[in-house]
Every structure is written in structure tokens, then in C-alpha cells.
């Protein structure tokens, strides 16, 4: 923006010269060597709180993590018989070696009771929060979330790691912010990385085993 130039009206020659000098500065013109520009007027701030708006304060604000927006399912969940929708807390922990979204526990439970889960996503509904940021799976690494939903009564099987994973079905997701990993669970569970053979449970017909969507 162009600087605002304040000058008093005056009929004197000195006042006219001062106004011309200020206009020359505003338009980027060089001053004659013998001329000295008058000091710029100092105006009191209209808002005393503006003094705190410093570049340092802006740097602190910019360092805050970008949180994904909260999500709400378009319709209330209808869980299977014997399962109810509850309040949970989730901790996002990306596992580069396998599937899974992170740790989920009921709101009134300690982290030692948390389950390593796959996050069930619904097209047009609730999705894994990282998809709402920069599309990188690590975008919300070590974020805590308030969750409403239920843990499904079935598991999914990951053939890459030969393990069964619990499934969390979300109805509402609210970001809390960055947090340290739960002390009882320093990282994703140990994976037995191998290609399943004919004896692996992936070849067993079981209605409680469903094919997972990997890398949630």
C-alpha cells in the first residue's frame, strides 16, 4: 500500500515546500542533496493490543500445526446387535511397514487398553483425517482425536504382515492437536512380515474376516 502522507494546510512558503518534499518521497523521487525531509509524524495506535502483533508473534502462530476439520457422518451409525456407539480417544500413528490407522481407546480407559485399529472410511462421509490435509499419510502423525463410533465385531486381515486388525467405525471425528505417543504403546505393533502360505488364515473361510483397505 502507498504510505499515507499527513500534512497540515498552510499558506506559508515553508509549509508548501514541506508538502512537495513529502509527495516526492511518496512517488520514489530523489531529493536534492541540500534538502532534508521533515520527520514523519508519529501517530498513536488506536488499539493498544496492536503492540503485541510482532513478527515474532507471527512466527509462533505459524509454527502451530494445521488441524484437519472436524467430521460428522451424514446419518447416525446403526451398529450391529450387541454393539453400541461410544466416545473414544484416538492417537494417529502411521505404520510404514503395514496397515492400521493408530491407537483407539474408550474415553474412560487408560492407553494400556487401546487397540491398534484400521479406520473405516465412507465415501461421502467420514474419512481418515489426513486425507483432508495435504494427502500425505503422515500429515497428522501423532495427533490426538476425540472420536465417536464403535469397534466392529469383526477383524480384517493384512496379508502383507500376516496379522488381524481391529476396525474402528467412526461417526464423528474432532481433532485435539499434536500429542506424544501413548507411553504404553511406543509405536505400531510388531509385524511378522512374510508372504502367507497355504496354511495361513487368509485362506480360511470365516465370515468374521474381511479384506482390508491397506494403509489407512
Amino acid at each position: 500500500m502507498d504510505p499515507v502522507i499527513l500534512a497540515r494546510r498552510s499558506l506559508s512558503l515553508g509549509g508548501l515546500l514541506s508538502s512537495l518534499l513529502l509527495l516526492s518521497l511518496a512517488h520514489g523521487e530523489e531529493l536534492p542533496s541540500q534538502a532534508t525531509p521533515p520527520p514523519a509524524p508519529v501517530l498513536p495506535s488506536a488499539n493498544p493490543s496492536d503492540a503485541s502483533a510482532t513478527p515474532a508473534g507471527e512466527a509462533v502462530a505459524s509454527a502451530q500445526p494445521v488441524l484437519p476439520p472436524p467430521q460428522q457422518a451424514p446419518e447416525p451409525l446403526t451398529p450391529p446387535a450387541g454393539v453400541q456407539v461410544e466416545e473414544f480417544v484416538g492417537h494417529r500413528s502411521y505404520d510404514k511397514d503395514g496397515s492400521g490407522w493408530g491407537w483407539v481407546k474408550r474415553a474412560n480407559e487408560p492407553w494400556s487398553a487401546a487397540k491398534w485399529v484400521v479406520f473405516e472410511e465412507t465415501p461421502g462421509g467420514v474419512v481418515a483425517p489426513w486425507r483432508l490435509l495435504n494427502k500425505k499419510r503422515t500429515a497428522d502423525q501423532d495427533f490426538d482425536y476425540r472420536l465417536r463410533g464403535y469397534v466392529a465385531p469383526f477383524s480384517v486381515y493384512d496379508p502383507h504382515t500376516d496379522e488381524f486388525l481391529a476396525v474402528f467405525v467412526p461417526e464423528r471425528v474432532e481433532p485435539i492437536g499434536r500429542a506424544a505417543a501413548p507411553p504404553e504403546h511406543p509405536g505400531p505393533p510388531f509385524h511378522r512380515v512374510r508372504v502367507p502360505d497355504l496354511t495361513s488364515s487368509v485362506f480360511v473361510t470365516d465370515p468374521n474376516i474381511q479384506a482390508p483397505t491397506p494403509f489407512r
Side-chain angles (χ1 to χ4, degrees):
M1 297 177 58
D2 291 336
V4 177
I5 305 301
L6 300 179
R8 298 179 180 176
R9 292 185 176 180
S10 175
L11 296 179
S12 65
L13 181 59
L16 180 59
L17 290 175
S18 298
S19 298
L20 291 174
L21 289 173
L22 288 174
L23 288 174
S24 298
L25 282 175
H27 290 282
E29 298 177 4
E30 295 184 358
L31 292 175
S33 58
Q34 69 272 18
T36 303
V42 178
L43 300 178
S45 174
N47 186 357
S49 63
D50 289 344
S52 61
T54 62
E58 294 174 0
V60 171
S62 63
Q64 298 299 320
V66 177
L67 299 179
Q71 301 180 71
Q72 177 72 44
E75 299 291 339
L77 294 180
T78 305
V83 179
Q84 61 181 357
V85 176
E86 301 178 71
E87 300 295 326
F88 291 81
V89 175
H91 182 86
R92 168 63 167 158
S93 186
Y94 172 68
D95 179 12
K96 65 182 179 64
D97 296 321
S99 298
W101 175 83
W103 298 101
V104 169
K105 70 179 185 69
R106 289 179 173 85
N108 59 349
E109 290 179 336
W111 279 112
S112 58
K115 295 179 180 295
W116 178 256
V117 303
V118 170
F119 201 91
E120 182 171 281
E121 300 178 276
T122 304
V126 179
V127 298
W130 61 264
R131 297 188 187 277
L132 304 179
L133 292 174
N134 58 7
K135 306 296 183 182
K136 292 183 179 179
R137 297 185 182 101
T138 56
D140 62 342
Q141 174 73 359
D142 285 328
F143 278 30
D144 275 358
Y145 292 90
R146 293 186 185 90
L147 306 172
R148 180 173 174 79
Y150 64 88
V151 177
F154 55 82
S155 300
V156 294
Y157 181 78
D158 182 1
H160 299 92
T161 56
D162 191 22
E163 66 178 337
F164 291 91
L165 301 170
V167 179
F168 181 76
V169 183
E171 181 180 90
R172 185 179 69 242
V173 178
E174 297 179 5
I176 298 174
R178 195 178 301 280
E184 292 86 355
H185 300 291
F190 174 77
H191 297 303
R192 301 175 302 279
V193 181
R194 66 180 180 84
V195 178
D197 54 27
L198 293 178
T199 63
S200 173
S201 54
V202 73
F203 296 102
V204 177
T205 302
D206 188 334
N208 290 325
I209 298 178
Q210 298 185 5
T213 300
F215 301 113
R216 288 182 181 172

